Amino acid sequence: MVNSLPEIFFVLLAVSVLSALFLLYPRVPLSYVRLHVGITLLPPLAALMALFTTKETIIYGPWWLDSLSWLLVSFVLIIGFIVQRYSVRYFLGDRSYRKYFALLTITTGADSVVWLCNDLRLLLICWGTTLLGLILLIRLKKEWSVARNAAKQTGQLFAISWLILFGAVIWVTQSTGHWQLTHVLAKSSLTQLELWEKTCISLMLILAVVIPAAQWPFHRWLLNTVVAPTPVSAVMHAGLVNAGGMILTRFSPLLSGNMSQIILLILSSVSVMIGTGIMLVQVDYKRQLVGSTIAQMGFMFIQCALGAFLAAIIHAVLHGLFKSTLFLQSGSALDHHKKQTSRANQPRSLLWTITGGILGLLVVIGLWLSSSGENYHFISALTLGWSVSLAWTQLVAFGNGHIARIAGFSLVAVAAIVYNFVQDAFYGVLQHSIPKGIQPPEPAAILLLIILLAGSAAGVWLARHRSSAAYTVIYLWLVRLGEPQNNLIESHPEYLTKSFFKGGHLQ
């Protein structure tokens, strides 16, 4: 049974794609959509069974089957199933109803196959299909000029990204003489590459993944895609934008120990700052989520640059699940904003706030002393300590009365227990399928720490000096950075008028 799981998975994936194509036939009743969505649940169930039964890496024809592969396949397809189930009623009545489900099934199916590919030619084809499917989903309402313009700009950047990846693959395969990724990444093959060749190929890989990950200075396309339907945004942010860290993890032996890590560190650090700033100043809920994604993807790439590829995968998966949930719940954003506003007006205890800061500091010290002393562990300890302090402030210091503070303290404790449980579970599944990366030079980690601390200090200072000229300039710059371009906004979508009226008569 275990040996037949890959065949079962591919058969079920093919059935789901054929079901999507069958749905495009006009005579098929729309009620078939519910059956189709049920069919799309079968491939991720098979992938989960393979994940829990896979004990070692298996090279099966052009496929690379290990726990990392099956985890990423399960993640992408489960997100796809949830979004399709959500969309059954969400898109009901839309003229693109059939097309939407077909495109989403094919796009997530192609994306899942990417993580199983050992043949680089097949990987290029599947990744190109994924990017093309995403462009068509953004352009789903093609009657709307704004959607067409957003898809066009996204398509241009995606084409550049895919061509750069194509060039990197051609270069490395011609230098090593292999198309199989496992052979390309073998030590005997990597020794055939000169240092400058390895660095150039690494830089091409980085450039190819930071574009679809919406990292600075290529972040604009993701801000433009807020015009896409909300379920499309959920899939995009959960299963496709975070693919960059997954690709770098697969190619990690190429990235280890060269200048490309420092360049990735700089780009991702700037992206964290810009994404966080956009998230804080935007009033549009979807743009806030986009800014958050840019920042989170930047942090994921920081983990890759520091050689912590296992942590990057954990981050990518958990962020994908969290962000897809936020997008699918975006309809309640107004009510959430009211609750946040009312909480912001509540007084908070100075003593409890100081306690939260001390607790965060103790978390940093404890994690750092219990780690192996690597650069990433120090950055991770700082991040977790800040998160604990922030959570304590929001849940405990803002608590109104003893009962509220006890409830907030309980939530913080439960969150810490769940975090440790999830982290241990991921490490247990993935520790043998992800190679440990080489850390960048010490000065690079110090530079990262300086950038993050300087950015945090600047943010605190600006928050306390909102009447200053510097605050005004930076605030307006971030607002402008997150605003749509002129050809991506309409006061009233003209295609809606044309849909109902033609020649002055109601249709």
Side-chain angles (χ1 to χ4, degrees):
M1 176 64 180
V2 174
N3 294 331
S4 62
L5 281 176
E7 292 93 337
I8 294 174
F9 167 77
F10 285 116
V11 169
L12 293 176
L13 186 64
V15 169
S16 67
V17 172
L18 291 175
S19 174
L21 297 176
F22 180 67
L23 183 62
L24 292 174
Y25 188 57
R27 294 188 177 182
V28 175
L30 289 181
S31 58
Y32 177 76
V33 167
R34 294 183 180 275
L35 177 59
H36 166 72
V37 173
I39 293 174
T40 62
L41 178 61
L42 300 178
L45 290 178
L48 283 174
M49 291 180 62
L51 171 64
F52 293 128
T53 55
T54 298
K55 302 299 182 183
E56 57 185 12
T57 300
I58 301 173
I59 304 302
Y60 185 80
W63 312 111
W64 182 351
L65 309 177
D66 60 4
S67 56
L68 175 61
S69 301
W70 291 121
L71 173 67
L72 299 181
V73 169
S74 304
F75 165 66
V76 171
L77 292 180
I78 288 175
I79 291 292
F81 165 75
I82 293 173
V83 172
Q84 291 204 47
R85 182 66 184 86
Y86 175 89
S87 303
V88 171
R89 295 183 63 184
Y90 184 93
F91 272 96
L92 190 61
D94 193 287
R95 66 179 62 186
S96 303
Y97 194 68
R98 299 173 184 271
K99 181 181 178 182
Y100 165 77
F101 286 97
L103 277 175
L104 189 56
T105 302
I106 294 172
T107 302
T108 54
D111 188 31
S112 67
V113 174
V114 169
W115 315 120
L116 296 172
C117 290
N118 189 41
D119 191 305
L120 289 173
R121 292 164 293 192
L122 186 59
L123 185 148
L124 284 172
I125 293 172
C126 293
W127 182 237
T129 302
T130 302
L131 296 178
L132 178 61
L134 181 56
I135 295 168
L136 294 176
L137 284 170
I138 296 172
R139 195 178 181 270
L140 191 64
K141 297 185 180 297
K142 60 182 179 181
E143 303 86 2
W144 191 15
S145 61
V146 171
R148 293 199 306 270
N149 293 334
K152 180 180 178 181
Q153 294 182 13
T154 302
Q156 290 171 347
L157 282 175
F158 280 7
I160 295 172
S161 170
W162 188 87
L163 288 174
I164 293 173
L165 180 62
F166 176 80
V169 168
I170 294 298
W171 190 340
V172 75
T173 53
Q174 293 301 310
S175 299
T176 60
H178 298 290
W179 283 101
Q180 288 73 31
L181 186 56
T182 48
H183 293 163
V184 168
L185 300 179
K187 291 183 179 180
S188 57
S189 298
L190 293 178
T191 54
Q192 299 178 32
L193 297 173
E194 299 289 342
L195 179 60
W196 69 271
E197 280 187 300
K198 189 178 178 181
T199 302
C200 289
I201 293 172
S202 299
L203 290 175
M204 292 176 71
L205 286 173
I206 289 172
L207 186 57
V209 298
V210 297
I211 292 176
Q215 295 296 279
W216 180 84
F218 309 104
H219 58 281
R220 173 63 67 177
W221 76 264
L222 190 58
L223 289 165
N224 294 340
T225 59
V226 296
V227 301
T230 298
V232 174
S233 297
V235 170
M236 186 191 314
H237 286 252
L240 302 172
V241 175
N242 54 6
M246 303 171 187
I247 292 177
L248 291 184
T249 299
R250 272 304 191 203
F251 287 89
S252 56
L254 274 172
L255 271 69
S256 299
N258 56 54
M259 188 67 181
S260 61
Q261 287 179 277
I262 300 177
I263 295 177
L264 179 60
L265 203 59
I266 295 173
L267 290 177
S268 53
S269 300
V270 174
S271 299
V272 169
M273 298 301 176
I274 290 178
T276 303
I278 292 174
M279 177 187 66
L280 293 176
V281 304
Q282 279 295 319
V283 295
D284 183 289
Y285 184 66
K286 288 185 73 173
R287 290 185 179 276
Q288 290 177 5
L289 294 181
V290 169
S292 171
T293 295
I294 294 172
Q296 290 293 327
M297 293 303 97
F299 188 72
M300 179 186 67
F301 281 127
I302 287 176
Q303 293 170 317
C304 293
L306 294 175
F309 294 103
L310 179 55
I313 291 296
I314 297 174
H315 186 172
V317 172
L318 296 182
H319 170 265
L321 294 171
F322 175 66
K323 192 55 63 72
S324 62
T325 302
L326 290 181
F327 268 104
L328 295 182
Q329 290 182 338
S330 59
S332 59
L334 183 60
D335 180 61
H336 175 73
H337 176 71
K338 290 180 179 178
K339 292 179 180 178
Q340 289 293 98
T341 303
S342 62
R343 169 166 286 193
N345 295 328
Q346 293 179 2
R348 59 178 174 176
S349 169
L350 178 61
L351 178 60
W352 285 105
T353 303
I354 295 175
T355 303
I358 295 174
L359 180 62
L361 181 61
L362 292 176
V363 169
V364 173
I365 296 174
L367 290 175
W368 173 243
L369 293 178
S370 61
S371 68
S372 56
E374 296 176 343
N375 297 331
Y376 163 72
H377 289 294
F378 183 60
I379 302 297
S380 179
L382 284 175
T383 304
L384 289 174
W386 178 84
S387 300
V388 168
S389 178
L390 180 63
W392 181 276
T393 301
Q394 295 295 321
L395 296 174
V396 180
F398 273 117
N400 187 13
H402 295 295
I403 296 179
R405 289 198 172 101
I406 292 173
F409 177 79
S410 301
L411 286 174
V412 172
V414 170
I417 294 172
V418 171
Y419 170 80
N420 287 326
F421 174 78
V422 171
Q423 187 182 45
D424 291 342
F426 272 103
Y427 270 83
V429 172
L430 298 176
Q431 60 180 340
H432 299 299
S433 59
I434 298 180
K436 186 177 181 181
I438 299 176
Q439 295 186 77
E442 196 75 24
I446 296 175
L447 175 62
L448 168 64
L449 184 60
I450 292 174
I451 292 175
L452 295 179
L453 291 178
S456 301
V460 172
W461 185 88
L462 290 171
R464 294 181 177 179
H465 298 80
R466 297 190 177 187
S467 59
S468 64
Y471 177 86
T472 303
V473 171
I474 294 176
Y475 181 88
L476 292 177
W477 177 72
L478 288 172
V479 169
R480 184 178 180 182
L481 195 64
E483 287 297 301
Q485 298 173 344
N486 292 333
N487 64 340
L488 291 169
I489 53 174
E490 279 184 348
S491 57
H492 179 75
E494 295 181 0
Y495 82 97
L496 292 177
T497 303
K498 294 177 181 178
S499 298
F500 288 99
F501 293 93
K502 186 176 181 181
H505 298 285
L506 182 64
Q507 297 296 308

